[in-house]
Amino acid sequence: MQKNKQWNVKGAMRLAGTFHFLHSCASGCLLPFLTLYFRHLGLTATMTGIIMASRHLLALVWRPISSVLARQYDKRRAVVVGSLLSSASVVLILLLFPSAGLKAESGRCNASQLNVKVAEDGWEFTTLENVPWLNATMYSVNNTNVVTEPSNDDDITEYTPTPVSSNFTRSVRKVRSLQEEHAHSEFLGSLKVMDAQHQMFFLVLIVTGFWEFTAVPLEWTADDGLYEYLDFVDATDRHRSAKIWKQLGAAFGNGGVGILVTGLYCLTGTAAEFYSYAILMILTVPSAALLPLYLRKRERRTSGGFKALQLVHGNSQALLCAVTVVLTGMASSVVSDFLLWQMQDHNATETHMGISLALAHFSQVGFVPLAGRLVRFLKYHGWLQVLAVMTLSLQCLYYSFLWGPWTVIPAQLLAGFSTGAMWWSVESQCEDIATPGTEKTVFRVFELLSLELGAGFGSLMAGFVVQKFGLNVLFQGTALILVLWGIALALLKWKIPRQRRINYSRLLAADMTEMSESDSDQEKDWLETAMDDSRQKTSGQWTSLK
């Protein structure tokens, strides 16, 4: 009874589910919308691609190193809690940067940002809110007060009243003096070497890199501790259930913050995304403090990454899978970085964006019960990779022909057959090639190849393509590359023989069953032999007596 109280697996999984839900919800509030914020700051597509690529490449190096260090020094809980608090603090620095853009925002709040009312003696200036993206100017020409406001069509709106009050003229002069003072005290005015846009780019790059450095160690460190805890109590089969809570948390974060930002846009702008992220990360701390993390003993060796790389390199099907996850990682980064730009260009608000992103996560959750039947129908999990590549190419092609805010939904509903099918096939591929104890490490090799290496190169190239050719060409080109690779992948999988490593755990279980059966047979044979001997001896005695 004491052992059952000490190792409460159900309670541990509830805590793990809460932790993953809150953390994924926090990430879903900000990460998908980050490139939109960079666009709001006035950064170009190339600059945005470089920043996102630097995040992925930093995570490619720092994620495994931080995981090893946390395990080696038994500081997993401290790393998890520290990462939550530091990332929540550092990300708010991005809100200190003013916009460097020259184009006005969509104009959703122009009516409330600039208020002009008519008094008895003429026009009177009321309020002009300090909005970073509204570059309105006021001046007087021949006693006529003119208000110019840049718009999407580069039109000039001119107000020319006949009677003008002295209060309005004084207000206009005051606004002009404040603008001149602001120009002299510009946030980046002390740097004379480059223009404001490039100054902004380098500062955002530095802050984003520091934020990624603090946030990266969290996921693997927490996942390692939970997996080793479940391994210690022989319950590793429950580890997969944590991934469902990640998808659900991300979906609620996407949809919730989208609705919130749209409702509060005229008051807070996009700052609500950052504050939501920070608040949810802090709320995750209690569950992280109670999360069951097994402290691995130093004498117990762990499976290294080099062994996992050798296993992938030594299997032809695994090599095909590695190339596939790199390409799909590049395509996925194209979608995650610039799909919202495409939606914004078609008058989508954050509500449209958040709901569409949430539907993609729900689609992946819904694919889980269908995966087993689909694999049995295809007779080999490797064909799921072909299905995933082709479905992703169809999604990218569809994204290039959007015509309204809600038209993205059909493509988002296919995410289960693209992203969901791909990672289901990757897990099955890991089971085929992994030796005992290396399953999770082999899976993380594919994870790094896709989510960090492939995504980094995808973000970098996508930025340059968008800058030179536009968003439509980006999605159409990505779709074409995926179609070509999907055809090649199908041919290669048909030609290359499938190599599957023996599952030693199942073999051991089968051996134990056979041993138990053979032991019972031997006991039965021994008993029968003894009974036969006793019968022979008894019959011999009776013969001698006779």
Side-chain angles (χ1 to χ4, degrees), residues 232-247:
F232 184 78
V233 297
D234 296 329
T236 54
D237 56 321
R238 300 193 181 188
H239 185 259
R240 179 176 289 185
S241 63
K243 297 181 180 180
I244 298 178
W245 290 108
K246 292 181 182 180
Q247 296 287 348

Side-chain angles (χ1 to χ4, degrees), residues 296-303:
R296 185 186 291 275
K297 296 181 180 179
R298 297 181 184 273
E299 65 270 16
R300 187 177 177 182
R301 299 184 60 183
T302 59
S303 302

Side-chain angles (χ1 to χ4, degrees), residues 104 143 176 178 222 517:
N143 295 326
R176 290 185 64 191
L178 290 174
E517 292 177 355

Side-chain angles (χ1 to χ4, degrees), residues 106-400:
S106 59
R108 284 184 281 176
C109 301
N110 284 352
S112 61
Q113 292 161 359
L114 183 60
N115 299 321
V116 180
K117 66 181 181 181
V118 179
E120 293 180 357
D121 57 346
W123 287 73
E124 180 180 355
F125 174 80
T126 306
T127 56
L128 176 64
E129 295 182 7
N130 182 20
V131 184
W133 58 83
L134 183 58
N135 299 314
T137 59
M138 295 183 181
Y139 53 91
S140 177
V141 179
N142 296 327
N143 295 326
T144 300
N145 294 288
V146 180
V147 181
T148 63
E149 175 183 337
S151 65
N152 292 334
D153 299 328
D154 296 330
D155 294 329
I156 300 297
T157 304
E158 187 172 304
Y159 302 90
T160 57
T162 51
V164 180
S165 66
S166 59
N167 292 333
F168 183 85
T169 305
R170 285 195 298 268
S171 300
V172 171
R173 291 174 180 174
K174 185 176 180 180
V175 170
R176 290 185 64 191
S177 63
L178 290 174
Q179 288 179 343
E180 292 175 357
E181 292 176 5
H182 179 70
H184 290 294
S185 61
E186 186 68 27
F187 181 76
L188 302 173
S190 60
L191 301 176
K192 304 295 184 181
V193 179
M194 61 186 74
D195 58 75
Q197 188 182 44
H198 285 84
Q199 295 166 5
M200 178 73 68
F201 163 66
F202 282 107
L203 284 177
V204 171
L205 180 64
I206 293 171
V207 174
T208 304
F210 184 48
W211 171 43
E212 189 72 12
F213 181 83
T214 60
V216 157
L218 190 150
E219 188 171 356
W220 276 22
T221 303
D223 189 66
D224 284 341
L226 177 63
Y227 185 85
E228 292 176 12
Y229 169 86
L230 296 175
D231 185 32
F232 184 78
V233 297
D234 296 329
T236 54
D237 56 321
R238 300 193 181 188
H239 185 259
R240 179 176 289 185
S241 63
K243 297 181 180 180
I244 298 178
W245 290 108
K246 292 181 182 180
Q247 296 287 348
L248 293 177
F252 279 95
N254 295 154
V257 81
I259 297 173
L260 181 65
V261 170
T262 302
L264 301 178
Y265 191 84
C266 297
L267 296 176
T268 63
T270 58
E273 298 165 354
F274 290 83
Y275 291 125
S276 299
Y277 172 85
I279 292 172
L280 285 171
M281 292 293 274
I282 294 174
L283 291 177
T284 312
V285 172
S287 61
L290 300 175
L291 191 68
L293 301 176
Y294 178 74
L295 301 180
R296 185 186 291 275
K297 296 181 180 179
R298 297 181 184 273
E299 65 270 16
R300 187 177 177 182
R301 299 184 60 183
T302 59
S303 302
F306 291 106
K307 176 63 175 178
L309 288 173
Q310 291 176 355
L311 292 173
V312 174
H313 183 267
N315 188 285
S316 301
Q317 294 288 348
L319 285 176
L320 278 179
C321 184
V323 176
T324 303
V325 296
V326 171
L327 290 176
T328 54
M330 295 173 65
S332 298
S333 69
V334 168
V335 175
S336 61
D337 291 349
F338 293 104
L339 175 60
L340 299 190
W341 284 36
Q342 180 81 326
M343 294 182 67
Q344 189 180 58
D345 291 345
H346 290 82
N347 302 321
T349 64
E350 284 76 9
T351 298
H352 301 103
M353 300 173 188
I355 292 177
S356 64
L357 292 172
L359 289 176
H361 290 291
F362 286 131
S363 175
Q364 295 181 48
V365 174
F367 178 79
V368 174
L370 301 176
R373 298 178 182 178
L374 190 58
V375 170
R376 287 192 295 270
F377 175 76
L378 297 175
K379 298 181 179 179
Y380 174 43
H381 63 77
W383 295 113
L384 281 179
Q385 298 175 25
V386 180
L387 174 64
V389 171
M390 290 301 188
T391 306
L392 185 56
S393 67
L394 180 61
Q395 287 179 287
C396 291
L397 182 63
Y398 184 90
Y399 294 146
S400 66

Side-chain angles (χ1 to χ4, degrees), residues 514-533:
E514 293 178 359
M515 289 177 61
S516 62
E517 292 177 355
S518 62
D519 290 342
S520 61
D521 291 341
Q522 290 178 1
E523 292 177 357
K524 183 178 180 180
D525 294 343
W526 174 83
L527 180 61
E528 291 178 354
T529 303
M531 292 178 64
D532 291 340
D533 291 342

